[in-house]
């Protein structure tokens, strides 16, 4: 039996260290958290996708009383981007989140956000992966107040991913 390791390349920095275009993408994801509909979890997630033509498409999580019918911010945004920009590859996705459970009154907007990066769920990784397999790598930028992670692709977040269909 052989054992091997899988390595993934992750870059870490703070928001201010990001190149301006990436910072703008994170800011679009932050802004999109305001459009979330989260009466059940009160966890506000925003995503912003940079399209190959330079446009930014943003979206958020949308919940539903029939709980599994809700969608995460990443899938809302990816499906909206694909449907509204047919034929245009997605180049980057940024994700940001905060929870109104522990939001003290009077806190400045930038301080609402999760200190640590929020990471997409398995279903969202799989959904994004399919666009990546079709159109090329999608960089993933996971924003946190204290640190931001940058992954070179969706596949790097999903080892042994299902792409042969
Ligand atoms: N959620 C997202 O939108 N993206 C993630 O990456 C993780 C979770 C949403 C789903 C649900 O509306 C809420 O966050 C709590 O799980």
């Amino acid at each position: 039996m052989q054992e091997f390791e899988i390595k993934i390349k992750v870059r870490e920095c703070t928001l201010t260290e990001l190149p301006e275009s990436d910072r703008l993408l994170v800011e679009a994801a932050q802004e999109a958290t305001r459009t979330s509909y989260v009466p059940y979890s009160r966890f506000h997630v925003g995503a912003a996708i940079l399209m190959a033509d330079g446009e930014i498409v943003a979206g958020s999580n949308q919940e539903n009383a029939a709980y599994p019918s809700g969608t995460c911010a990443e899938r809302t945004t990816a499906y909206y981007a694909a449907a509204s920009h047919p034929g245009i590859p997605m180049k980057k996705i940024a994700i940001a989140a905060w929870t109104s459970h522990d939001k003290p009154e009077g806190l400045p907007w930038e301080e609402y956000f999760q200190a640590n990066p929020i990471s997409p769920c398995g279903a969202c990784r799989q959904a994004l992966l399919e666009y990546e397999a079709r159109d090329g790598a999608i960089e993933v930028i996971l924003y946190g107040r204290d640190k931001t992670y940058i992954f070179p692709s969706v596949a790097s977040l999903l080892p042994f991913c299902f792409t042969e269909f």
Side-chain angles (χ1 to χ4, degrees), residues 38 41 43 45 61 63 71-74 118-121:
V38 290
S41 73
F43 193 59
V45 187
N61 52 334
E63 297 181 349
T71 52
C72 295
E74 296 88 331
I118 152 161
S119 200
C121 77

Side-chain angles (χ1 to χ4, degrees), residues 16-126:
T16 50
E17 289 166 346
L18 279 176
E20 195 189 347
S21 57
D22 290 351
R23 207 162 57 237
L24 287 177
L25 198 64
V26 169
E27 283 167 8
Q30 290 179 322
E31 199 58 43
T33 61
R34 299 180 193 247
T35 67
S36 63
Y37 172 64
V38 290
Y40 308 104
S41 73
R42 294 173 66 191
F43 193 59
H44 305 250
V45 187
I49 295 178
L50 175 68
M51 308 301 291
D53 63 4
E55 228 186 288
I56 290 177
V57 177
S60 55
N61 52 334
Q62 303 294 320
E63 297 181 349
N64 190 276
Y67 297 152
S69 305
T71 52
C72 295
E74 296 88 331
R75 265 175 294 162
T76 306
T77 310
Y79 292 156
Y80 176 50
S84 60
H85 294 68
I88 312 285
M90 302 175 201
K91 302 305 283 180
K92 298 184 181 202
I93 182 168
I95 302 154
W98 55 280
T99 171
S100 41
H101 276 301
D102 52 29
K103 170 176 148 333
E105 283 311 312
L107 202 65
W109 162 250
E110 316 78 63
E111 289 173 33
Y112 294 177
F113 291 95
Q114 300 282 294
N116 287 312
I118 152 161
S119 200
C121 77
C124 287
R125 292 176 197 207
Q126 186 65 35

